[in-house]
Amino acid sequence: MQKFFLYARKSTDVEDKQVRSIEDQIAELRAFAQKENLEIADVFIEKQSAKIPGRPIFNEMLKRIEKGEADGILAWHPDRLARNSVDGGKIIYLIDCGRIAALKFPQ
């Protein structure tokens, strides 16, 4: 069974500007993981925009993937992972070199 990191991100603390709260994202992702028989190795929660590179929790998650602690990332939507070319490039690089085996989204 592959291990996944669950990543939930919200751009702002203002609830009405975000489609799904972090709690909603996590609940949906846990249900999806159970349905798909995916093991969640750890949960990463971040409250920061992804438009500019440098999210500390996202970067820590990628470092742990490079160490082999998980095979993939489970997120509510692809835009939770990257909205800039630097972070998107990091994910593509980790896929290309085989560190990330899968990205899963319930959408």
Side-chain angles (χ1 to χ4, degrees):
M1 179 186 292
Q2 291 181 321
K3 292 182 182 179
F4 285 80
F5 284 149
L6 187 155
Y7 182 77
R9 182 184 65 78
K10 185 172 101 128
S11 298
T12 178
D13 286 328
V14 180
E15 289 296 329
D16 62 345
K17 289 190 176 184
Q18 181 67 39
V19 175
R20 298 295 297 260
S21 71
I22 286 179
E23 294 79 16
D24 286 347
Q25 290 178 47
I26 291 171
E28 184 173 340
L29 292 169
R30 286 192 185 278
F32 179 75
Q34 185 174 10
K35 182 180 127 204
E36 297 291 317
N37 199 31
L38 306 173
E39 181 181 344
I40 297 173
D42 206 348
V43 176
F44 294 85
I45 297 170
E46 194 147 50
K47 292 183 179 181
Q48 186 172 342
S49 172
K51 290 184 180 180
I52 300 169
R55 290 172 286 151
I57 294 169
F58 175 80
N59 289 334
E60 177 62 27
M61 179 181 66
L62 293 187
K63 285 179 188 175
R64 289 181 58 189
I65 285 173
E66 288 181 291
K67 291 178 184 176
E69 294 182 34
D71 307 299
I73 302 170
L74 178 59
W76 180 69
H77 190 274
D79 71 1
R80 300 297 88 199
L81 297 179
R83 293 180 60 99
N84 68 75
S85 59
V86 173
D87 291 343
K90 286 179 186 178
I91 290 172
I92 291 167
Y93 174 75
L94 291 173
I95 292 169
D96 287 348
C97 68
R99 297 285 187 186
I100 293 177
L103 299 174
K104 300 271 187 181
F105 311 99
Q107 303 302 318

